Amino acid sequence: QVQLVESGGGLVQAGGSLRLSCAASGRTFSSYTMAWFRQAPGKEREFVAVHRWSGGSIYYADYLDSVKGRFTVSRDNAKNTVYLQMNSLKPEDTAVYYCAARRTYYTGSHSEEYDYWGQGTQVTVSS
């Protein structure tokens, strides 16, 4: 069983930045596909970013179109942690952000394909 714990959420003004962290338990973190999703009030959960590490400096990352150029996903395998750096935040980025993990290879955006989920962290962007 893998446990995921997010942190780093909060209240920020539009144009500001936040960095979310997701700490994972487990000995094979480096082999997991890690992703971030978000859910705004009254809306469905949506994919934000995915990170798959292939070894050395080789990795795959992909993003929701509306966050490309503003958000960056990264990971530190030594710390079993994945990050989401969010810059130039907009009010429409307001949501609960969830970290997700999948044990096997996957680089997609379908939430049902992920095996483990964190409890979420609230991000609120004021205008």
Side-chain angles (χ1 to χ4, degrees):
Q1 188 73 11
V2 174
Q3 291 185 327
L4 305 175
V5 179
E6 301 101 332
S7 61
L11 173 64
V12 64
Q13 289 187 332
S17 298
L18 283 174
R19 188 176 81 155
L20 305 183
S21 299
C22 173
S25 64
R27 299 180 179 179
T28 57
F29 173 80
S30 62
S31 68
Y32 296 161
T33 294
M34 300 300 297
W36 289 94
F37 289 78
R38 67 186 181 186
Q39 188 166 19
K43 295 187 177 181
E44 294 186 352
R45 188 172 297 187
E46 69 174 351
F47 165 82
V48 175
V50 63
H51 191 287
R52 175 75 190 186
W53 182 67
S54 298
S57 61
I58 301 173
Y59 65 92
Y60 172 88
D62 197 13
Y63 300 89
L64 177 69
D65 283 347
S66 63
V67 308
K68 285 182 179 177
R70 300 188 298 122
F71 290 12
T72 302
V73 61
S74 63
R75 70 198 294 162
D76 185 336
N77 290 328
K79 295 182 178 180
N80 279 17
T81 301
V82 63
Y83 304 97
L84 185 67
Q85 177 67 44
M86 305 186 294
N87 298 328
S88 302
L89 282 161
K90 304 176 180 180
E92 51 263 43
D93 294 319
T94 294
V96 177
Y97 283 71
Y98 296 91
C99 173
R102 178 182 165 108
R103 290 167 293 179
T104 55
Y105 183 86
Y106 180 68
T107 55
S109 61
H110 297 285
S111 60
E112 63 269 22
E113 296 294 335
Y114 288 85
D115 301 309
Y116 306 104
W117 291 84
Q119 82 288 350
T121 186
Q122 176 71 46
V123 171
T124 303
V125 184
S126 63
S127 58

